Structure formats: C-alpha cells, structure tokens
Amino acid sequence: MDLGKLMEKISTFHDAKDIKKQEEMLNEFAQLAGDDEILLNAVTGKNKGDAMPGILFTTNKRICYISQSFFLKKISVNNIPIDKISSIEYRKGWMFSKILIYTANAAMQIEQINNDEAPKFCNQVKKSMEALTPQAYQAPPMYQLPQETPAPQQKDFIHELKELGQLRKDGIITEEEFKLAKEKLLR
C-alpha cells in the first residue's frame, strides 16, 4: 500500500494526529498491506501488557496491531485475517474502551481506545466479517403443483350391477338397456 494514500486515509480518522506521529509503525503497515487491501479504520491503543501504545488497523482482509518497544525501537506486528475472527466486541469504560478480538484459539485485548471510536472500529470489522461470510444458499421458490381435483369416488361396481339387475327384474329397464349400462360400468 502506498504510504501517501495511507496517510490521506488516516487523516480522516479521529486518532489521526496520534497515528501520524508513529511514522515507523505506519511505514511497517504500508509495507505489509497489499495493493488490494482497503484501510477501513485505525485507532491508537495498548495491547494488554505492553508499555507503549500502538496502532490497531482494520482492512477489508485483516486486523493488524503494530506496536513499538520503548528502548529497542523494535516493531511488533500481530495480524489476524478477518476470516479467522470468531467475534469482536468492545467494553466501554469511564475514560477509555477496550476492544476484544477472538479467534478459535486466541484472544487479543487492546486497551485505552477512545470511547467514541471503539464501537465504530468494531462495527467496521463486523461488516468486513459479514462480507466474507458466504451467504446461505437460498433455494429457488418451490413451484406449487396444481391442485388436483379430487378424483370422483370409485363406484362400487358390484353394488351398481345389483341395482341395474334389480331395475331389469322390476321391468324398469329393458335387457338391452341393462347390457349398455353394464358395459359403461365395466369401462
């Protein structure tokens, strides 16, 4: 990532003045970030247990915490790919917030973050996580089969034949009418 573009983007963040003072850490991040990465947010804070503050970056691909030791001027980098983050949350304190980042097998806690910036940072990471999460497959709508009209109840052929036979015996229908009705029933 080009350092000039990185500096332009950082100038839009709340902690821009504090971040710009950390030139070596910014250079380190600019070298680490790929050209296809988009810087989404950056805040200053301290990794739990560190003496010196660092910078917590989030891009469309990762969270990166860069800090520098006080005496050795050694730069430390912790990267967590967005797709490896299981959850992120913030806890607001009286003066500062802390951000907690969880993966399947580790956790990172960055403290002394501006109370207004912690929720923005976390929301940005959550949006990136959602963008990388494959969407659940949505099956096409089920096509309803046309409602079948109920089949006419099958007639009891034996019962009907008996009725026809009785009608013939009673003389109501002729032998010829009986034979025709019988053939219709058997079809």
Side-chain angles (χ1 to χ4, degrees), residues 110-163:
I110 309 299
E111 301 173 335
Q112 296 183 358
I113 296 174
N114 180 298
N115 274 337
D116 295 334
E117 296 307 305
K120 292 176 189 176
F121 189 91
C122 289
N123 287 335
Q124 190 63 60
V125 173
K126 287 176 183 176
K127 285 179 187 176
S128 296
M129 289 168 65
E130 289 170 5
L132 290 178
T133 304
Q135 299 299 317
Y137 174 72
Q138 298 267 335
M142 295 290 291
Y143 295 102
Q144 269 190 318
L145 294 174
Q147 295 271 338
E148 289 185 29
T149 54
Q153 291 185 349
Q154 292 185 342
K155 298 177 183 176
D156 184 2
F157 292 112
I158 295 172
H159 179 72
E160 287 194 37
L161 281 173
K162 284 182 182 178
E163 283 183 10

Side-chain angles (χ1 to χ4, degrees), residues 6 8 36 39 98 130:
L6 177 63
E8 277 180 36
D36 59 342
L39 179 63
K98 61 177 117 180
E130 289 170 5

Side-chain angles (χ1 to χ4, degrees), residues 4-17:
K5 288 182 182 178
L6 177 63
M7 295 299 272
E8 277 180 36
K9 183 67 178 173
I10 284 176
S11 65
T12 65
F13 301 140
H14 182 271
D15 289 350
K17 289 179 186 174

Side-chain angles (χ1 to χ4, degrees), residues 87-123:
S87 70
I88 184 167
E89 63 185 60
Y90 69 94
R91 295 194 181 141
K92 195 172 183 177
W94 182 62
M95 291 184 63
F96 296 104
S97 291
K98 61 177 117 180
I99 293 178
L100 299 128
I101 305 158
Y102 300 97
T103 65
N105 54 4
M108 180 188 289
Q109 181 174 312
I110 309 299
E111 301 173 335
Q112 296 183 358
I113 296 174
N114 180 298
N115 274 337
D116 295 334
E117 296 307 305
K120 292 176 189 176
F121 189 91
C122 289
N123 287 335

